């Protein structure tokens, strides 16, 4: 049976390659609950695509995350999160505040993720080899997410989109 459990509060970690649709999914949550790494890159560097800003952006994202989890506020991390060490850092924060972590896999086919880069501005388009590497990392991680420490592992699909939207509409 499909696990569709999202406790409240929860730390929801979106996992998927560039172009997989993470931000589209993130928009089903209230915007104040979503921490989007691109936005933090823009905040520290004026350029959402500036990869040299990632370390500073992630540090600021983490401090907002800690402030929110200290208040037991449900928080969604909108970043690729395909690397195990990135997820481990997020899981550490969730554990230290006693908030369950949910992995939310956005597993759109790699070819689709790559095609979607074509319609982006050159500054925001992620190179095809990077997208394919992210996709492979996400697929390889999927079976291990429970063991990493995620209390629930969800896969993005139509049923979830409907549930999430209905949950939001019904408050
Ligand atoms: P990055 O921020 O680069 O990591 O990408 P992302 O995972 O946030 O993807 P995003 O949500 O920006 O979606 C990429 C493109 O795919 C956008 O143009 C979306 O409109 C489109 N898209 C997202 N989800 C769907 C879907 O379910 N169907 C279709 N047809 N397009 C979608
Ligand atoms: Mg996005």
């Amino acid at each position: 049976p499909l696990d569709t459990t999202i406790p409240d509060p929860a730390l929801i970690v979106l996992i998927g390659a560039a172009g997989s649709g993470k931000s589209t999914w993130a928009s089903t949550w209230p915007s104040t609950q979503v921490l989007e790494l691109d936005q933090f890159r823009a905040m520290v560097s004026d350029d959402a695509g500036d990869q040299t800003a990632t370390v500073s952006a992630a540090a600021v994202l983490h401090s907002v995350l800690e402030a929110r989890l200290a208040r037991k506020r449900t928080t969604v991390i909108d970043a690729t999160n395909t690397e195990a060490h990135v997820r481990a850092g997020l899981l550490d924060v969730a554990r230290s505040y006693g908030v369950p972590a949910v992995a939310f896999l956005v597993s759109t086919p790699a070819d689709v993720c790559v095609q979607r880069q074509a319609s982006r501005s050159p500054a925001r388009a992620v190179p095809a080899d990077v997208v394919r590497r992210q996709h492979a990392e996400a697929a390889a991680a999927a079976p291990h997410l429970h063991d990493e420490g995620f209390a629930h592992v969800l896969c993005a699909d139509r049923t979830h989109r409907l549930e999430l939207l209905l949950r939001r509409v019904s408050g």
Side-chain angles (χ1 to χ4, degrees):
L2 260 182
D3 185 357
T4 62
T5 312
I6 301 182
D8 189 18
L11 168 63
I12 298 139
V13 177
L14 302 184
I15 302 170
S20 58
K22 298 180 299 297
S23 299
T24 305
W25 277 97
S27 68
T28 60
W29 278 273
S31 62
T32 55
Q33 297 187 345
V34 178
L35 305 184
E36 182 181 9
L37 184 58
D38 279 347
Q39 279 187 13
F40 285 89
R41 277 200 203 93
M43 276 182 230
V44 302
S45 76
D46 294 326
D47 178 358
D50 183 350
Q51 300 303 312
T52 69
T54 299
V55 171
S56 325
V60 184
L61 182 149
H62 263 254
S63 67
V64 178
L65 174 62
E66 296 219 14
R68 292 186 57 83
L69 293 193
R71 294 169 168 275
K72 307 283 187 226
R73 303 312 300 171
T74 285
T75 304
V76 179
I77 305 297
D78 180 5
T80 54
N81 297 316
T82 60
E83 296 174 272
H85 74 93
V86 171
R87 294 191 298 274
L90 295 169
L91 284 161
D92 277 347
V93 180
R95 200 175 303 112
S96 65
Y97 289 97
V99 173
V102 175
F104 196 98
L105 275 161
V106 187
S107 56
T108 305
D111 287 341
V112 176
C113 298
V114 170
Q115 277 164 23
R116 286 178 180 167
Q117 304 305 317
S119 53
R120 292 188 166 174
S121 67
R124 280 235 44 213
V126 179
D129 60 321
V130 175
V131 175
R132 289 188 190 283
R133 191 195 68 225
Q134 293 169 340
H135 190 274
E137 283 171 352
H144 307 293
L145 293 169
H146 259 297
D147 291 340
E148 285 185 13
F150 288 99
H152 302 280
V153 178
L154 280 66
C155 255
D157 64 20
R158 278 169 204 281
T159 317
H160 282 127
R161 179 114 59 186
L162 263 177
E163 274 197 20
L164 289 168
L165 287 169
L166 286 172
R167 220 175 278 179
R168 200 177 155 183
V169 168
S170 63

